[in-house]
Amino acid sequence: MKEGPDISQIAALIGDPARANILTALMDGRALTASELAEEAGVGLSTASGHLSKLTDADLVSPRKSGRHKYFHLADAEVAGVLEALMGLAARRGATRVRTGPKDAQMQVARVCYNHLAGRMGVQMYRSLLGRDLLVEDNENVALTAAGRDFATGFGIDLAELEKGRTLLCRTCLDWSERRNHLAGSLGRAMLTRMEDLGWMHRDAGSRVICVTQKGKAAFEDMFGSA
Amino acid sequence: MKEGPDISQIAALIGDPARANILTALMDGRALTASELAEEAGVGLSTASGHLSKLTDADLVSPRKSGRHKYFHLADAEVAGVLEALMGLAARRGATRVRTGPKDAQMQVARVCYNHLAGRMGVQMYRSLLGRDLLVEDNENVALTAAGRDFATGFGIDLAELEKGRTLLCRTCLDWSERRNHLAGSLGRAMLTRMEDLGWMHRDAGSRVICVTQKGKAAFEDMFGSA
DNA sequence: TCAATACTTCGGTTACCGTCGAACTATGAA
DNA sequence: TTCATAGTTCGACGGTAACCGAAGTATTGA
């Protein structure tokens, strides 16, 4: 009767409010401990522990032990992608969070998606790279051109190092607020890290908001501005 | 505490097995009656009715009354996209359906995704169109080139008519089995319809499988073959 | 070795929600 | 008008799973 993989198990997993909170909290790409996630989800430690083992069993998150702490992070970028897609649906249905604070506006401008830059600035960067032929889209894959490799290296990114890793260098990720692609993959991650190192921006602790400094704003506009 | 739209409501909606079955059944793009969906989901009519009103409230499906029947279909292509994305996750986790019949293999070759061609052949067509510069990807958007418009017209598709509609002409959709893009949007739909009209293929009633005729296999390979 | 912290497991409670059948409404056919 | 079919609403039942606290395990630090 049924065709294709079974959606309901995974959807049900995401469907519990506490677990959804946990997953959302991990969307910033950081690894958090069980206690922190319990706090984030608003449940007791024992409850969170149970949720986390279910999420781990389903391969939505991965644990990493470090001393007496246990850190959890999203299993991979695909999981993050599905979560963003669900946010897209939820946002359009007007099921936005009750509390719409000042952070919501900032989230639209620049936020961290798993581990890369998302929001208006993320999309702007991506479009700029494409427009200047530093990046090309071939099918759903994106890749750096020769000029793009020079650019990245000049920006202070060690491509050879990145390419050693298992994760794809370039990947696209659909932005739930902008409804356009932005750059993911290990390069996306490295770009964000580099911009943080340069003092252009820094992550807001405890949220996914990225705060852009005055200096960063100018430098970013200078490098990726449409003008 | 929480950032972004609330995922859990929508995920919980998809997370119930009966509702997931309903949504999966609607992935072929057809509109089905409440009774048919009840049958498909394996629940009583009253139960299905309850589910359907919840899905309608959440704008995941849309009802259409016709006489004393009430037909339901997926609200839009974005919903279908999220469902496919979830299938992608589920497939990778090995949560494939218990029963793996002969249809599963056929589904990998050619199936209907909402209303367009998906599976190996869908991806092949998409890549072929891109490779011959009939289609270009610009950011996440895809568009027909001038040559592409000629091609589509020559293939018997009335582009002017399609562009009158509200739905985007070209759209990409991520294929859960191939993990590559294929063509969605109103053109994707029209292409499939046209190929059915030409007798190349036809939908298998009661599943998402697309059966390709001998003639169709040759003609498709002739037109979109990589050789 | 003892104490403290981080997490897991267990047991018991509670609440929600999916389920069905039966009664009700609406549309169409005879 | 009467009957039949399609769908909705309601009430009752039952099972699942989320939740907490307490006890148990593991790791670190003194």
Side-chain angles (χ1 to χ4, degrees):
Chain A
M1 195 101 349
K2 297 303 125 329
E3 332 291 338
D6 183 19
I7 290 182
S8 71
Q9 293 168 19
I10 289 199
L13 230 42
I14 305 175
D16 175 74
R19 283 192 297 259
N21 286 340
I22 288 176
L23 292 170
T24 306
L26 292 175
M27 280 288 284
D28 66 359
R30 286 180 307 174
L32 299 177
T33 66
S35 314
E36 290 168 327
L37 289 170
E39 167 77 13
E40 199 71 37
V43 295
L45 176 58
S46 64
T47 306
S49 177
H51 285 314
L52 285 167
S53 72
K54 283 179 191 174
L55 291 174
T56 304
D57 286 346
D59 261 339
L60 292 181
V61 305
S62 307
R64 241 175 61 187
K65 290 201 69 166
S66 167
R68 58 183 155 182
H69 293 275
K70 198 164 173 186
Y71 288 94
F72 294 87
H73 57 96
L74 291 188
D76 56 44
E78 189 183 6
V79 175
V82 169
L83 295 178
E84 280 257 332
L86 280 169
M87 285 186 187
L89 266 194
R92 214 149 55 80
R93 310 291 181 243
T96 46
R97 216 79 213 184
V98 258
R99 178 191 64 74
T100 156
K103 294 223 173 154
D104 287 3
Q106 290 181 49
M107 292 259 293
Q108 311 264 331
V109 175
R111 67 176 178 277
V112 74
C113 169
Y114 194 40
N115 53 24
H116 50 267
L117 178 64
R120 217 137 60 220
M121 290 179 73
V123 170
Q124 183 180 337
M125 180 175 85
Y126 185 71
R127 295 183 75 100
S128 167
L129 292 175
L130 272 183
R132 288 188 282 161
D133 292 323
L134 301 179
L135 209 59
V136 285
E137 270 183 336
D138 166 30
N139 232 351
E140 93 284 13
N141 296 320
V142 280
L144 280 175
T145 60
R149 297 185 69 89
D150 290 344
F151 169 81
T153 306
F155 192 55
I157 288 175
D158 185 351
L159 289 175
E161 185 60 30
L162 291 183
E163 280 165 335
K164 278 185 195 160
R166 246 179 313 128
T167 40
L168 216 53
L169 187 67
C170 298
R171 239 179 166 292
T172 63
C173 184
L174 188 62
D175 203 290
W176 65 260
S177 59
E178 294 295 304
R179 303 197 155 271
R180 283 187 156 65
N181 276 342
H182 56 245
L183 182 66
S186 62
L187 179 60
R189 192 176 102 254
M191 289 291 292
L192 175 56
T193 308
R194 182 65 182 141
M195 290 191 279
E196 286 176 307
D197 289 345
L198 288 173
W200 290 14
M201 49 189 71
H202 60 90
R203 309 188 189 190
D204 177 53
S207 89
R208 294 170 57 203
V209 167
I210 296 182
C211 305
V212 186
T213 62
Q214 281 299 333
K215 168 183 154 195
K217 202 172 288 185
F220 187 91
E221 192 58 35
D222 194 45
M223 183 163 275
F224 302 114
S226 47
Chain B
M1 197 105 341
K2 298 301 123 332
E3 329 292 337
D6 183 20
I7 291 182
S8 72
Q9 295 169 18
I10 289 198
L13 230 41
I14 306 175
D16 175 74
R19 283 192 296 258
N21 286 340
I22 288 176
L23 292 170
T24 306
L26 292 175
M27 279 290 285
D28 65 359
R30 285 180 308 173
L32 299 177
T33 67
S35 314
E36 288 168 327
L37 289 170
E39 167 76 14
E40 198 72 36
V43 295
L45 176 58
S46 64
T47 305
S49 176
H51 285 316
L52 286 167
S53 71
K54 284 179 190 174
L55 291 174
T56 303
D57 286 346
D59 261 338
L60 292 181
V61 306
S62 307
R64 240 173 62 186
K65 289 202 69 164
S66 167
R68 59 178 155 185
H69 291 277
K70 197 165 174 184
Y71 288 93
F72 293 88
H73 58 96
L74 291 187
D76 55 43
E78 190 182 5
V79 174
V82 169
L83 294 177
E84 281 257 332
L86 280 169
M87 284 185 189
L89 267 194
R92 212 147 56 79
R93 313 288 181 242
T96 45
R97 217 77 213 182
V98 258
R99 176 191 64 75
T100 156
K103 293 224 172 152
D104 286 2
Q106 290 182 52
M107 289 260 290
Q108 311 263 331
V109 175
R111 67 176 178 277
V112 74
C113 168
Y114 194 41
N115 54 25
H116 51 266
L117 178 63
R120 215 138 59 219
M121 290 178 72
V123 170
Q124 183 180 338
M125 180 176 85
Y126 186 72
R127 295 182 74 98
S128 167
L129 292 175
L130 272 184
R132 288 189 284 160
D133 292 323
L134 301 178
L135 209 58
V136 285
E137 270 183 337
D138 166 31
N139 233 348
E140 93 284 12
N141 297 318
V142 280
L144 279 175
T145 60
R149 296 186 68 90
D150 290 344
F151 169 81
T153 306
F155 192 55
I157 287 175
D158 185 350
L159 289 176
E161 185 62 29
L162 291 183
E163 281 165 336
K164 278 185 197 161
R166 244 178 317 126
T167 40
L168 216 54
L169 187 67
C170 297
R171 239 180 166 289
T172 62
C173 182
L174 188 62
D175 204 290
W176 65 260
S177 57
E178 294 295 305
R179 304 197 155 271
R180 282 190 157 66
N181 276 342
H182 57 245
L183 182 65
S186 62
L187 178 61
R189 192 175 103 253
M191 290 290 294
L192 174 57
T193 308
R194 182 65 182 142
M195 290 192 277
E196 286 175 305
D197 289 345
L198 288 172
W200 289 13
M201 48 190 71
H202 60 89
R203 308 185 189 191
D204 178 52
S207 89
R208 295 170 59 201
V209 167
I210 294 182
C211 305
V212 186
T213 62
Q214 281 299 332
K215 167 184 154 197
K217 202 171 290 186
F220 187 93
E221 191 58 36
D222 195 42
M223 182 162 277
F224 302 112
S226 48

CSV table of all heavy atoms in Angstrom, one decimal, chain A residues 151-171:
chain,number,residue,atom,x,y,z
A,151,PHE,N,40.4,33.4,-5.0
A,151,PHE,CA,39.8,34.3,-4.0
A,151,PHE,C,39.7,33.8,-2.6
A,151,PHE,O,40.1,34.5,-1.7
A,151,PHE,CB,38.3,34.6,-4.5
A,151,PHE,CG,37.5,35.3,-3.5
A,151,PHE,CD1,37.6,36.7,-3.4
A,151,PHE,CD2,36.6,34.5,-2.7
A,151,PHE,CE1,36.8,37.3,-2.5
A,151,PHE,CE2,35.8,35.2,-1.8
A,151,PHE,CZ,35.9,36.6,-1.6
A,152,ALA,N,39.3,32.5,-2.5
A,152,ALA,CA,39.2,31.9,-1.2
A,152,ALA,C,40.6,31.9,-0.5
A,152,ALA,O,40.7,32.2,0.7
A,152,ALA,CB,38.7,30.5,-1.3
A,153,THR,N,41.6,31.5,-1.3
A,153,THR,CA,43.0,31.4,-0.7
A,153,THR,C,43.4,32.8,-0.2
A,153,THR,O,43.9,33.0,0.9
A,153,THR,CB,43.9,30.9,-1.7
A,153,THR,OG1,43.5,29.6,-2.2
A,153,THR,CG2,45.3,30.7,-1.1
A,154,GLY,N,43.1,33.8,-1.1
A,154,GLY,CA,43.5,35.2,-0.8
A,154,GLY,C,42.8,35.7,0.5
A,154,GLY,O,43.2,36.5,1.2
A,155,PHE,N,41.6,35.1,0.7
A,155,PHE,CA,40.8,35.5,1.9
A,155,PHE,C,41.3,34.8,3.1
A,155,PHE,O,40.8,35.1,4.2
A,155,PHE,CB,39.3,35.1,1.6
A,155,PHE,CG,38.4,35.7,2.6
A,155,PHE,CD1,38.3,37.1,2.8
A,155,PHE,CD2,37.5,34.9,3.3
A,155,PHE,CE1,37.4,37.7,3.7
A,155,PHE,CE2,36.6,35.5,4.2
A,155,PHE,CZ,36.6,36.9,4.4
A,156,GLY,N,42.2,33.9,2.9
A,156,GLY,CA,42.8,33.3,4.1
A,156,GLY,C,42.3,31.9,4.4
A,156,GLY,O,42.3,31.5,5.6
A,157,ILE,N,41.8,31.2,3.4
A,157,ILE,CA,41.2,29.9,3.7
A,157,ILE,C,42.1,28.8,3.1
A,157,ILE,O,42.5,29.0,1.9
A,157,ILE,CB,39.8,29.8,3.1
A,157,ILE,CG1,38.9,30.7,4.0
A,157,ILE,CG2,39.3,28.4,3.0
A,157,ILE,CD1,37.5,30.8,3.4
A,158,ASP,N,42.4,27.8,3.8
A,158,ASP,CA,43.3,26.7,3.4
A,158,ASP,C,42.4,25.7,2.7
A,158,ASP,O,41.9,24.8,3.4
A,158,ASP,CB,44.0,26.2,4.6
A,158,ASP,CG,45.0,25.1,4.2
A,158,ASP,OD1,45.0,24.7,3.0
A,158,ASP,OD2,45.8,24.7,5.0
A,159,LEU,N,42.3,25.8,1.4
A,159,LEU,CA,41.4,24.8,0.7
A,159,LEU,C,41.9,23.4,0.8
A,159,LEU,O,41.1,22.5,0.9
A,159,LEU,CB,41.3,25.3,-0.8
A,159,LEU,CG,40.5,26.6,-1.0
A,159,LEU,CD1,40.5,26.9,-2.5
A,159,LEU,CD2,39.0,26.4,-0.6
A,160,ALA,N,43.2,23.2,0.7
A,160,ALA,CA,43.7,21.9,0.7
A,160,ALA,C,43.3,21.2,2.0
A,160,ALA,O,42.9,20.0,2.1
A,160,ALA,CB,45.2,21.9,0.6
A,161,GLU,N,43.4,21.9,3.1
A,161,GLU,CA,43.0,21.4,4.4
A,161,GLU,C,41.6,21.0,4.4
A,161,GLU,O,41.2,19.9,4.9
A,161,GLU,CB,43.3,22.5,5.5
A,161,GLU,CG,43.1,22.0,6.9
A,161,GLU,CD,44.0,20.8,7.3
A,161,GLU,OE1,45.1,20.8,6.7
A,161,GLU,OE2,43.6,20.0,8.1
A,162,LEU,N,40.7,21.9,3.9
A,162,LEU,CA,39.3,21.6,3.9
A,162,LEU,C,39.0,20.4,3.1
A,162,LEU,O,38.1,19.6,3.4
A,162,LEU,CB,38.5,22.8,3.3
A,162,LEU,CG,38.5,24.1,4.1
A,162,LEU,CD1,37.6,25.1,3.4
A,162,LEU,CD2,37.9,23.8,5.5
A,163,GLU,N,39.7,20.2,2.0
A,163,GLU,CA,39.4,19.1,1.1
A,163,GLU,C,39.8,17.7,1.6
A,163,GLU,O,39.5,16.7,1.1
A,163,GLU,CB,40.0,19.4,-0.3
A,163,GLU,CG,39.1,20.3,-1.1
A,163,GLU,CD,39.9,20.9,-2.3
A,163,GLU,OE1,41.1,20.9,-2.3
A,163,GLU,OE2,39.2,21.3,-3.3
A,164,LYS,N,40.6,17.8,2.7
A,164,LYS,CA,40.9,16.5,3.3
A,164,LYS,C,39.7,15.9,4.0
A,164,LYS,O,39.6,14.7,4.2
A,164,LYS,CB,42.0,16.8,4.4
A,164,LYS,CG,43.4,16.9,3.8
A,164,LYS,CD,44.5,17.0,4.9
A,164,LYS,CE,45.8,17.4,4.4
A,164,LYS,NZ,46.7,18.0,5.4
A,165,GLY,N,38.9,16.8,4.5
A,165,GLY,CA,37.7,16.3,5.3
A,165,GLY,C,36.7,15.5,4.5
A,165,GLY,O,36.8,15.5,3.3
A,166,ARG,N,35.8,14.9,5.2
A,166,ARG,CA,34.8,14.1,4.6
A,166,ARG,C,33.7,14.9,3.9
A,166,ARG,O,33.1,14.6,3.0
A,166,ARG,CB,34.2,13.1,5.5
A,166,ARG,CG,34.6,11.7,5.2
A,166,ARG,CD,34.0,10.7,6.2
A,166,ARG,NE,34.3,11.2,7.6
A,166,ARG,CZ,33.4,11.4,8.5
A,166,ARG,NH1,32.1,11.1,8.2
A,166,ARG,NH2,33.7,11.8,9.7
A,167,THR,N,33.4,16.1,4.6
A,167,THR,CA,32.3,16.9,4.1
A,167,THR,C,32.6,17.6,2.8
A,167,THR,O,33.8,18.0,2.5
A,167,THR,CB,31.9,18.0,5.1
A,167,THR,OG1,33.1,18.5,5.7
A,167,THR,CG2,31.0,17.4,6.2
A,168,LEU,N,31.6,17.7,2.0
A,168,LEU,CA,31.7,18.4,0.7
A,168,LEU,C,32.2,19.8,0.9
A,168,LEU,O,31.8,20.5,1.8
A,168,LEU,CB,30.3,18.4,0.0
A,168,LEU,CG,30.3,18.2,-1.5
A,168,LEU,CD1,31.1,17.0,-1.9
A,168,LEU,CD2,28.8,18.1,-2.0
A,169,LEU,N,33.0,20.3,-0.1
A,169,LEU,CA,33.5,21.7,0.0
A,169,LEU,C,32.4,22.7,-0.1
A,169,LEU,O,32.3,23.6,0.7
A,169,LEU,CB,34.6,21.9,-1.1
A,169,LEU,CG,35.4,23.2,-1.0
A,169,LEU,CD1,36.2,23.3,0.3
A,169,LEU,CD2,36.2,23.4,-2.2
A,170,CYS,N,31.6,22.5,-1.2
A,170,CYS,CA,30.6,23.5,-1.5
A,170,CYS,C,29.2,22.8,-1.5
A,170,CYS,O,29.1,21.7,-2.1
A,170,CYS,CB,30.8,24.2,-2.8
A,170,CYS,SG,32.3,25.1,-2.9
A,171,ARG,N,28.3,23.4,-0.9
A,171,ARG,CA,26.9,22.9,-0.9
A,171,ARG,C,26.0,24.0,-0.8
A,171,ARG,O,26.3,25.1,-0.4
A,171,ARG,CB,26.8,22.1,0.5
A,171,ARG,CG,26.5,20.6,0.4
A,171,ARG,CD,26.4,20.0,1.8
A,171,ARG,NE,25.8,18.7,1.8
A,171,ARG,CZ,24.5,18.5,1.5
A,171,ARG,NH1,23.7,19.5,1.2
A,171,ARG,NH2,24.0,17.3,1.5
